[in-house]
Amino acid sequence: MRFDTLSDLKNYKNEISQKQDKGKEIWICGGPGCVANGSMAIAEEFIKALGNKSSSDENTSLWHSIKVLIRPEEKETEKLIRTGITGCMGPCENGPVVHVEPDGLYYQKVTVDDIEGIIGSIKENIPYKAKAMSGLDDKPAEVPSAENIPFLAKQKKIILGKMSTMSPLDLEDYIAHGGYSGLIRALESMAPEEICNEIKASGLRGRGGGGFPTGVKWESCRNSASEMRYVLVNGDEGDPGAFMDRALMEGDPYSVIEGLTIGAYAIGSSEGIIYVRHEYPLAVKRLANAIKNLEEAGLLGTNILGTGFDFHVEICEGGGSFVCGESTALMTSIEGKPGVPRVKYIRSTERGLWESPTVLNNVETWANVPHIITNGSEWFRSIGTENNSGTKVFALVGKVKNTGLVEVPMGTTLRQIIYDIGGGVAQKRPFKAVQTGGPSGGCLPASMLDTPVDFDSLTEAGSMMGSGGMIVMDDRTCMVDIARYFIDFLVEESCGKCVPCREGLKKMQMILHDLTNGKGREGDTKALEDLAEDISDTSLCALGQSAANPVLSTIKYFKEEYIEHEKEHFCRSGVCQGMFRIKIDEEKCKSCGLCSKNCPADTIEKLDSGKYCIKQEGCIRCGACFEVCPFSSVDIVNEVIDDD
Amino acid sequence: MIEITINDIPLKVEKGTTILHAAQANGIDIPTLCNHEGLTLDGNCRLCSVEIEDMGNKKIVASCMFPITRNISVETETERVRRARNTVLQLLVNRNPKAPIIQQLCAKYGVDREERFALEPDLCIRCGRCVRACEAGGTKAIELVGRGFDRHVAPPYELETDACIGCLSCATVCPTGKITYEETPGKRKIWYKEFDVLQCKRCGIYFATKEMLDWAGRPENDRDHCNHCQKYIESVKFLTESQKK
């Protein structure tokens, strides 16, 4: 397969689209969650069951075409069943997920024992009920297609659209699913300036968190005088609990590279670098495979599609530092120096990588580009809200029922994401907060659940969009402890170049450790607030400037918890060790004895009344009784006040 | 020329001048630590923070690196600047209480060490002047290694390195006196490495290490005299020869 001219590629696309007769396809989710749950073994079993020898993941594409009898019609006809591994499909909580095309059916928690059943159901052309994904009422859906599954029905999958129905290894597959229409349109009928204008008109904003208008960035790079320009992909996703970019690079690497190619053409660059963190080996492998295939197909390299446009892409593996996700640190790292940020009073679009004008965009931003060029800026603007067009991918994690990868139009509220798509807080516990934007983001309380998720609203609320991590917390989460966790993370990850971030975060960490160890002092909350403001004012890069957010936002919305930690040395959530006591409310206790059975310290005894009681001397305050009590009769009480 | 104001004083400066240079040229005092006229800029100590108003936005910037490209107004003594500066000094004095320069600055701006957050005293403020000086000489023998709080200056693997020529540039630019070396007649020890120091055969001073002269490309047979004496000898030679003529 090689395309030397534009019409070669167009003819090929036509040929594929005319193939009406689409066989059945069984797709097994190859996202990290499902792989951890054994989806690879299931894929191999599927292949065996369909009569082929198993093969390891990356050598051959897991495409297997096996003739199987299907009899929906009276006459028995032979049809193909193909099976393969995709990228992340999204419903990570319920993995391993299996997706059957073209019917669009989703099966959850599939085991090796279900393989026969699923293949049987395909032959019968009916859904396989036993493992059908949950529908509206939490019961398996009758027909488990996307519109009947709340987790999928409420999403709008544009960027993730192809990911559950194609192999991330196969270029043919990508083109068959509409890939490279964007590049064709760009090269055939658009001047580079027009592309910049189209992106500007679409209102696309940087998905890495900053929210800077992408088109403006491109234009300013295009207008800076230089012979050499670079386009870079920021794939250094390091936020705890975030895996959006990983999913895209692993599941749909071609779309990222197509976007990058269009961007390079628009700004006049011939050199692109994908910076991927070293901890994502599969993403590196998949991207490398994609680049190799694209070079062979003539979609990367010199004189692409006979238009005279040259573009080469390389992969640069990161060195494992969180701060390398910051644009200038990333460039310094590519240059072979320690990944430390530079003062940014001159924009990277004027002087970036190796002193040349550079456009750096996030993986997801690049993945948006082909869609905008194919469908036009009007279409893109029609999704989302006024100043925040398009969709955003989130990694919905934490104490939420349906964890997973979610794509929604901008402006969807937090409530819709957490309750309608995520199915609410896990184990039906009360909602306490949602953390967005990674370690530099903030925690928003229940009163802010109706905040629309877009760049401006989240910043206004004291958090930020970030790259799209979304961590749900229940009432057993201590907000001071959460702030401590994120500051610990940032202290570890601060590069240490500038004083406020290096020394200031350390001081903040000392205060937070005192607060969570019962050594809080009068005025600590105020001291934290002041220090937080000064650190954001004076730090050199965005990491330091936003590092105080977790502290500031938790103080803003959960000040009473800080005051309790500071003045009463009490942790109402039962998290900070030694700062609370656990008691059983005798009135609520129904004498089921679950607490006593689960107590690791064996310190819960039965009273004469039949109720249970915790002997305080032996209690290690692990909270096991709290977790298991079905009647919420275990309370967390203030140790100090009760003793008085 | 661009018109700006610093503390309401109208000034005309050339495009690209940094705020720090503009202020210094007009006798306005801005404290600095990591800045050194002979070295590349880094902007890491944040002590020179000033507040600027740029197209309606007020923000804190590092004056040593901010290039003036359009009309801005700069304030060097607002409440916000004072807070920023004092926070930086406070954080520094908590860790570097014994560095004379930090003591002087703290005395000048009225900042005290906080006992609660006092860290193990250290002289290094991680300004990286030494690293930049070493880089400027082309030797690149030392680098800031480690991350965050553990960041410190060291040669590769904290072992003696061939790259070090014992020129003492690092120790010369160090603002706190952290970088020390041992010097005995004919011997010098710095960064775990021992050097032989050559003695000038005319004036007797110990003038350079062998490695320094290697680096400078001075021929092996021409290493008897220090720079001054070398010049003296050459000029005497020149004069006698011209007298002969």
Side-chain angles (χ1 to χ4, degrees), chain A residues 151-195:
Chain A
F151 181 81
L152 296 166
K154 304 259 165 80
Q155 298 189 43
K156 187 167 179 67
K157 291 200 174 194
I158 293 173
I159 300 166
L160 304 180
K162 300 188 191 81
M163 255 161 63
S164 16
T165 54
M166 64 165 214
S167 160
L169 299 168
D170 206 317
L171 175 60
E172 223 177 299
D173 223 15
Y174 177 70
I175 296 176
H177 283 84
Y180 276 91
S181 311
L183 186 70
I184 293 176
R185 180 153 182 245
L187 292 178
E188 192 178 47
S189 59
M190 291 173 89
E193 296 82 8
E194 277 177 72
I195 298 174

Side-chain angles (χ1 to χ4, degrees), chain A residues 196-197 200 214-224 267:
Chain A
C196 288
N197 288 335
K200 249 165 83 178
T214 307
V216 176
K217 196 191 257 185
W218 289 18
E219 193 173 54
S220 97
C221 183
R222 185 176 167 71
N223 292 339
S224 49
I267 70 154

Side-chain angles (χ1 to χ4, degrees), chain A residues 343 345 537-539 545, chain B residues 19-20 30 43 46-54 57-67 72-75 80-81 84:
Chain A
V343 176
Y345 297 133
D537 238 7
T538 49
S539 286
Q545 283 159 11
Chain B
I19 295 177
L20 182 66
I30 298 175
R46 319 306 284 176
L47 189 65
C48 67
S49 293
V50 295
E51 188 170 3
I52 65 163
E53 189 173 341
D54 180 16
N57 288 329
K58 284 195 168 186
K59 57 181 176 187
I60 294 274
V61 298
S63 62
C64 67
M65 289 200 76
F66 194 91
I72 52 170
S73 58
V74 182
E75 292 285 345
R80 196 171 164 196
V81 173

Side-chain angles (χ1 to χ4, degrees), chain A residues 323-615:
Chain A
V323 76
C324 285
E326 198 275 343
S327 63
T328 55
L330 187 149
M331 290 173 207
T332 321
S333 174
I334 293 179
E335 288 169 9
K337 298 176 200 148
V340 169
R342 298 193 278 243
V343 176
K344 214 159 106 178
Y345 297 133
I346 298 166
R347 288 223 165 99
S348 304
T349 48
E350 283 170 45
R351 204 190 293 162
L353 183 64
W354 286 302
E355 305 275 299
S356 299
T358 305
V359 163
L360 170 78
N361 281 321
N362 175 264
V363 170
E364 197 186 330
T365 317
W366 288 117
N368 267 298
V369 171
H371 296 281
I372 296 173
I373 299 301
T374 314
N375 302 312
S377 55
E378 279 292 303
W379 164 83
F380 194 73
R381 284 200 88 93
S382 70
I383 305 159
T385 58
E386 181 68 27
N387 287 318
N388 292 273
S389 39
T391 58
K392 178 79 192 83
V393 182
F394 288 97
L396 187 60
V397 295
K399 304 279 177 61
V400 65
K401 198 167 145 242
N402 302 321
T403 54
L405 196 65
V406 170
E407 183 178 356
V408 288
M410 292 266 196
T412 309
T413 63
L414 287 167
R415 191 185 300 279
Q416 285 169 314
I417 299 177
I418 295 166
Y419 285 89
D420 296 352
I421 296 172
V425 181
Q427 293 165 338
K428 302 212 164 101
R429 297 205 65 86
F431 171 88
K432 186 165 194 177
V434 56
Q435 209 274 351
T436 67
S440 324
C443 298
L444 301 177
S447 61
M448 301 300 284
L449 272 176
D450 291 309
T451 310
V453 174
D454 60 54
F455 292 104
D456 311 313
S457 311
L458 283 178
T459 311
E460 205 179 300
S463 182
M464 63 184 224
M465 177 81 97
S467 56
M470 195 174 269
I471 306 170
V472 179
M473 300 165 192
D474 66 11
D475 63 334
R476 281 223 65 188
T477 318
C478 168
M479 299 318 286
V480 184
D481 188 60
I482 284 293
R484 180 206 52 83
Y485 168 80
F486 282 113
I487 296 299
D488 278 354
F489 177 86
L490 289 165
V491 166
E492 187 74 18
E493 292 295 342
S494 158
C495 76
K497 178 169 177 171
C498 73
V499 176
C501 182
R502 182 183 68 230
E503 311 288 340
L505 288 178
K506 187 81 185 173
K507 179 171 165 184
M508 217 176 220
Q509 186 189 34
M510 288 158 91
I511 303 181
L512 284 163
H513 277 232
D514 278 355
L515 281 174
T516 51
N517 284 325
K519 294 183 200 140
R521 300 189 196 177
E522 194 87 18
D524 273 356
T525 313
K526 178 80 178 62
L528 273 177
E529 261 179 305
D530 289 348
L531 187 58
E533 276 169 32
D534 293 339
I535 293 176
S536 20
D537 238 7
T538 49
S539 286
L540 189 151
C541 80
L543 184 137
Q545 283 159 11
S546 57
N549 281 355
V551 170
L552 284 175
S553 72
T554 45
I555 294 184
K556 183 173 174 188
Y557 294 113
F558 302 94
K559 195 159 192 169
E560 63 288 354
E561 286 192 34
Y562 274 88
I563 300 296
E564 279 167 4
H565 278 75
E566 179 187 313
K567 299 208 166 124
E568 299 168 26
H569 297 179
F570 169 50
C571 175
R572 64 162 78 174
S573 320
V575 174
C576 300
Q577 280 303 315
M579 295 177 71
F580 61 91
R581 202 156 72 170
I582 304 175
K583 240 183 146 177
I584 294 172
D585 186 337
E586 280 185 37
E587 281 183 18
K588 286 192 204 156
C589 179
K590 299 271 188 288
S591 310
C592 71
L594 266 179
C595 51
S596 177
K597 274 186 208 124
N598 282 285
C599 178
D602 214 7
T603 187
I604 302 183
E605 55 183 20
K606 198 170 186 174
L607 298 174
D608 296 338
S609 57
K611 312 268 175 173
Y612 284 82
C613 171
I614 302 173
K615 278 191 292 181

